[in-house]
């Protein structure tokens, strides 16, 4: 059987030196950090990806190991395996660069949890990070790469440096990339349960799988939080091995974040014409690459707890853009009405109470499931 490398996990990253932070960036020094992922698909071997994309100095990795997870920071010691980089056990990741480990001959299956441990012997500076890792990570002093559990560990709510796992899968395996904001990434769903709506949708597929390139706070047209979506296409979609479909949710932060950043002063977000032009450019760019592109309506957020986010101007643009998306004038291959799936029937601009994560902007596990269940899986003909 002929095989090829296919992405089985992805985590999009944020520049810690942005001017506005939703999440507090940090660095490390003389520590071991341990982070876990759940694979969306399996294969007969794997390789792991790390990023120093936004670092201001080379990232020294003094050792890296891979193991099957047990629970919390625990690993199965029988599976503990060193990761190597061009045969070496240590590596310096240059400023602005990413690296891929040497292949590890380890058969893995969809749904398995892997733990990656990194020894960071020197001061790293602020890390290239992701907002919503699969689960809470851990940090301890010194080199504890092979410790079965990390006693007294500091918990890490953000992800650091670990950006992906590829698996050696049968040639012809195709996957979808979920691309967009916090509703894609799964903010406010339960850590460690893999309950973002792309993950819950992925469990309904009979072939292929979905990897997640969401960034909480991300926008279509403006940087912060993360590079804006249009600028992320090449790196976060087209460079993902195996991609054939793209599933998109974006727009909440284009409409709401300017007001929150400027609060209590007013702020102006994009017009409906500017936003639909951006969506058209997004779909057209992905189509030129030969991909199937599935858009979605912008989810409801009336009454959100964040000062300055919910404005009448933003709500008006949202309604106009959603009407355009539900009509015949857009460039997407299909559009999923996620707003209808989770909106309150009596107040469609609000999230239904049973799906509200508590802040009026994000979905809980049940809300993410409602979106996953509303999507016709035949759209993802992988």
């Amino acid at each position: 059987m002929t095989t090829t490398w296919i992405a089985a996990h992805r985590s999009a990253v944020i520049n810690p030196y942005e001017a506005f932070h939703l999440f507090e960036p940090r660095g490390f020094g003389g520590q071991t950090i341990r982070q876990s992922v759940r694979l969306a698909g399996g294969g007969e071997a794997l390789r792991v990806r790390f990023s120093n994309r936004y670092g201001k100095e080379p990232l020294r990795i003094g050792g890296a190991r891979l193991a099957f997870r047990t629970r919390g920071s625990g690993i199965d010691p029988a599976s503990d395996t060193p990761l190597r980089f061009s045969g070496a056990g240590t590596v310096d990741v240059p400023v602005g660069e990413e690296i891929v480990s040497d292949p590890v001959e380890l058969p893995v299956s969809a749904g398995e949890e892997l733990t990656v441990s990194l020894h960071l012997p020197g001061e790293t500076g602020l890390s290239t990070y992701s907002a919503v890792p699969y689960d809470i990570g851990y940090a301890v002093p010194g080199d504890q790469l092979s410790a079965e559990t990390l006693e007294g560990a500091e918990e890490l709510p953000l992800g650091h440096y670990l950006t992906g796992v590829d698996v050696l899968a049968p040639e012809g395996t195709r996957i979808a990339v979920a691309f967009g904001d916090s509703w894609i990434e799964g903010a406010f769903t339960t850590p460690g349960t893999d309950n973002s709506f792309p993950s819950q949708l992925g469990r309904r597929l009979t072939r292929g799988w979905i990897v997640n390139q969401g960034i909480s706070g991300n926008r279509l047209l403006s940087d912060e939080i993360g590079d804006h979506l249009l600028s992320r296409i090449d790196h976060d979609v087209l460079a993902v091995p195996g991609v054939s479909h793209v599933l998109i949710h974006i727009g909440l932060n284009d409409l709401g974040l300017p007001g929150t950043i400027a609060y209590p002063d007013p702020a102006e977000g994009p017009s409906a014409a500017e936003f639909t032009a951006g969506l058209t450019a997004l779909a057209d760019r992905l189509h030129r690459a030969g991909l199937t592109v599935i858009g979605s309506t912008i989810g409801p957020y009336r009454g959100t707890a964040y000062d300055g986010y919910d404005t009448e101007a933003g709500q008006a643009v949202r309604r106009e853009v959603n009407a355009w998306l539900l009509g015949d004038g857009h460039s997407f291959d299909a559009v999923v009405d996620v707003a209808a799936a989770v909106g309150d029937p009596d107040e469609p601009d609000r999230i239904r109470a049973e799906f509200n994560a508590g802040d009026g902007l994000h979905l809980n596990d049940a809300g993410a499931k409602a979106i996953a269940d509303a999507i016709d899986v035949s759209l993802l003909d992988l």
Side-chain angles (χ1 to χ4, degrees), residues 1 20 62 69 72 101 106 118 124 126 156-158 179 197 265 271-272 278 301 322 341 345:
M1 178 179 64
F20 178 77
R69 186 186 193 189
S101 75
L106 178 68
L118 294 179
T124 64
L126 296 180
L156 303 176
L158 305 177
F179 191 43
F197 95 72
D265 296 324
S271 68
Y301 62 95
N322 282 355

Side-chain angles (χ1 to χ4, degrees), residues 20 219 256-269 307-309 311:
F20 178 77
R219 292 186 267 183
L257 201 55
T260 295
I261 293 172
Y263 185 82
D265 296 324
E268 186 175 338
D307 289 334
Y309 200 99
T311 65

Side-chain angles (χ1 to χ4, degrees), residues 297-373:
T297 53
I298 303 171
Y301 62 95
R302 174 70 79 186
T304 182
Y306 305 108
D307 289 334
Y309 200 99
D310 179 10
T311 65
E312 291 306 320
Q315 293 287 355
V317 170
R318 173 181 172 271
R319 287 191 290 270
E320 187 174 343
V321 171
N322 282 355
W324 175 79
L325 285 164
L326 295 173
D328 298 324
H330 61 77
S331 298
F332 296 100
D333 294 291
V335 170
V336 177
D337 194 356
V338 302
V342 297
D344 186 324
D346 296 324
E347 295 183 86
D349 289 344
R350 293 180 184 269
I351 298 172
R352 289 174 60 167
E354 62 266 38
F355 298 152
N356 186 355
D359 64 353
L361 178 62
H362 295 99
L363 303 174
N364 57 22
D365 294 5
K369 184 177 187 299
I371 293 179
D373 290 347

Side-chain angles (χ1 to χ4, degrees), residues 24 34 201 256 267 292:
E24 191 61 39
R34 181 168 285 181
L201 175 62
T292 298

Side-chain angles (χ1 to χ4, degrees), residues 150-324:
L150 301 182
E151 300 297 334
E154 173 190 1
E155 292 189 347
L156 303 176
L158 305 177
H160 303 274
Y161 306 117
L162 175 61
T163 58
V165 177
D166 300 334
V167 294
L168 202 56
E171 189 170 18
T173 300
R174 305 200 309 172
I175 66 170
V177 170
F179 191 43
D181 56 22
S182 58
W183 283 38
I184 293 288
E185 194 173 24
F188 286 72
T189 58
T190 305
T193 60
D194 216 23
N195 272 338
S196 68
F197 95 72
S199 292
Q200 296 198 57
L201 175 62
R203 293 195 281 274
R204 295 177 57 208
L205 301 181
T206 57
R207 65 173 183 267
W209 56 81
I210 303 172
V211 297
N212 194 317
Q213 292 280 42
I215 294 179
S216 295
N218 204 214
R219 292 186 267 183
L220 175 68
L221 301 174
S222 302
D223 290 340
E224 300 190 14
I225 304 300
D227 298 343
H228 66 280
L229 203 69
L230 287 169
S231 71
R232 292 208 285 131
I233 292 171
D234 286 346
H235 183 275
D236 288 353
V237 178
L238 303 187
V240 175
V243 61
S244 64
H245 290 60
V246 187
L247 177 63
I248 297 163
H249 181 272
I250 197 70
L252 290 168
N253 302 301
D254 290 83
L255 303 180
L257 201 55
T260 295
I261 293 172
Y263 185 82
D265 296 324
E268 186 175 338
S271 68
E274 289 169 332
F275 197 81
T276 56
L279 288 176
T280 300
L282 174 65
D284 289 349
R285 176 70 181 90
L286 295 169
H287 279 145
R288 287 196 297 273
L291 304 180
T292 298
V293 189
I294 303 165
S296 65
T297 53
I298 303 171
Y301 62 95
R302 174 70 79 186
T304 182
Y306 305 108
D307 289 334
Y309 200 99
D310 179 10
T311 65
E312 291 306 320
Q315 293 287 355
V317 170
R318 173 181 172 271
R319 287 191 290 270
E320 187 174 343
V321 171
N322 282 355
W324 175 79

